[in-house]
Amino acid sequence: MDLRRLSSFLAVAEERHFGRAAARLFLSPSALTAHIQRLEREVGAELFNRNPVSLTPAGERFARHARALLDAVNTALDDVANEPVTDTLRIGVMGHGSAELTPAVINAFRQASPETRLVLEPLTFTEHTSALLACRVDVAFVRPAVSDERIAVDVLTREQRIVVVPARSELGQATALEVADVLELPFVTVPPYTPRPFTDYLYFTEARGGEPPRRGPDHAVTPHEVLTSVSAGRGAGSALKSFERYYHWPGTVCVPVVDAPWEHSVLATRADDTSPSVRLFRKLATTLAAHFPDRP
């Protein structure tokens, strides 16, 4: 979510007039209107009544979040304002990362440190720690939490668990499932060198008493590979609730597992990395996470 659009939104909310808000922000009226229209599309609701200008009920609720987000960013910037940042920051993202929070943090860093070159690196299920320890990336949006003294972890989101099953299967007709319903699913197979925290998360290992799952015939290291197997009726996958918002795949259904413990997505960094850019990115991520709505 672009912080400039949040600033435009708050200016209109406070001025109750598009023209005065545009002048206050040194924007053209058309640019300000475009900001508001884009924000309303992102949020999925009208934020203002027009003629006269006033906040809608959705706009009133959103204004509280917008103010908190901008205040949080300003606090984070004040905390590290006097430290130089490095020229390049390499950001690893596994799957869809921490959902809508991922682009919000990246955009906040981009605006806070425009001189820093950002490089985005997609990560597979096997790269919770290896990409960081090999210095391929400097920060990584992964799930679940990593247990490694060489890795620092900041918890960003906490979400309900789901399973991804073929739409034409019996479980595909369910509106909700329990852990006991999914333990015998033929889960897609990940490589043997996949970090244990991820396999335990993927296969509900604690619920099955440490026993290995029934494995499907296909291997996968990315969400797309999982969905290809599921849509063909050859396997199942598991994920966080936000997965459903990001991956609309024909022939697959995401069903919540209502009694499964909720899981985290995290920002992982090298524990000994004290670079100002990493510190700023972590500060922005944790500060935004504390104020970010569950579903923007």
Side-chain angles (χ1 to χ4, degrees):
M1 189 168 291
D2 195 314
L3 299 183
R4 293 170 298 178
R5 290 195 283 273
L6 292 183
S7 297
S8 295
F9 164 74
L10 289 176
V12 176
E14 293 164 4
E15 296 290 346
R16 303 295 170 116
H17 191 279
F18 276 72
R20 289 196 297 270
R24 168 175 152 182
L25 296 172
F26 300 99
L27 292 173
S28 68
S30 61
L32 178 71
T33 299
H35 282 186
I36 299 302
Q37 291 173 339
R38 177 68 181 273
L39 189 59
E40 288 179 325
R41 287 196 296 272
E42 289 183 7
V43 173
E46 289 191 357
L47 301 175
F48 290 104
N49 300 307
R50 273 72 167 177
N51 300 320
V53 175
S54 63
L55 287 167
T56 63
E60 293 280 2
R61 295 193 301 273
F62 188 76
R64 294 193 292 271
H65 291 302
R67 291 189 182 96
L69 285 170
L70 288 178
D71 288 346
V73 170
N74 289 332
T75 299
L77 293 179
D78 288 344
D79 186 53
V80 294
N82 296 321
E83 295 188 48
V85 296
T86 56
D87 293 334
T88 300
L89 183 70
R90 297 158 299 177
I91 304 167
V93 184
M94 189 179 76
H96 64 292
S98 294
E100 290 86 356
L101 186 59
T102 303
V105 175
I106 294 171
N107 185 59
F109 183 89
R110 181 177 59 83
Q111 295 182 56
S113 183
E115 71 279 10
T116 302
R117 175 175 173 262
L118 298 181
V119 177
L120 299 182
E121 291 282 350
L123 301 179
T124 71
F125 298 154
T126 69
E127 297 177 304
H128 284 70
T129 57
S130 60
L132 282 165
L133 297 176
C135 295
R136 283 181 41 227
V137 300
D138 304 303
V139 298
F141 291 94
V142 299
R143 73 184 66 82
V146 176
S147 180
D148 189 315
E149 63 182 10
R150 299 168 296 176
I151 302 295
V153 170
D154 297 303
V155 174
L156 300 183
T157 67
R158 181 174 176 270
E159 299 184 48
Q160 185 182 42
R161 294 299 307 281
I162 63 168
V163 289
V164 191
V165 295
R168 62 181 178 272
S169 68
E170 182 178 350
L171 295 186
Q173 311 307 310
T175 57
L177 296 169
E178 297 184 352
V179 172
D181 300 321
V182 306
L183 294 183
E184 294 305 313
L185 286 174
F187 284 99
V188 292
T189 301
V190 294
Y193 51 86
T194 303
R196 181 67 182 269
F198 186 80
T199 57
D200 287 348
Y201 150 85
L202 180 68
Y203 298 138
F204 299 95
T205 298
E206 183 177 355
R208 59 176 78 252
E211 292 297 317
R214 177 186 170 201
R215 304 292 179 93
D218 299 323
H219 291 71
V221 295
T222 68
H224 285 184
E225 291 173 343
V226 173
L227 289 163
T228 299
S229 178
V230 175
S231 65
R234 292 167 56 85
S238 74
L240 301 181
K241 178 65 175 174
S242 57
F243 183 95
E244 185 175 13
R245 300 200 295 272
Y246 280 77
Y247 300 100
H248 298 283
W249 202 272
T252 69
V253 174
C254 296
V255 187
V257 184
V258 294
D259 62 339
W262 286 32
E263 282 285 2
H264 302 109
S265 74
V266 304
L267 182 73
T269 57
R270 289 182 292 276
D272 60 356
D273 193 336
T274 59
S275 71
S277 59
V278 170
R279 183 182 172 208
L280 173 58
F281 197 92
R282 289 183 66 184
K283 184 68 175 180
L284 288 169
T286 55
T287 306
L288 283 172
H291 296 276
F292 212 71
D294 291 336
R295 171 70 195 277

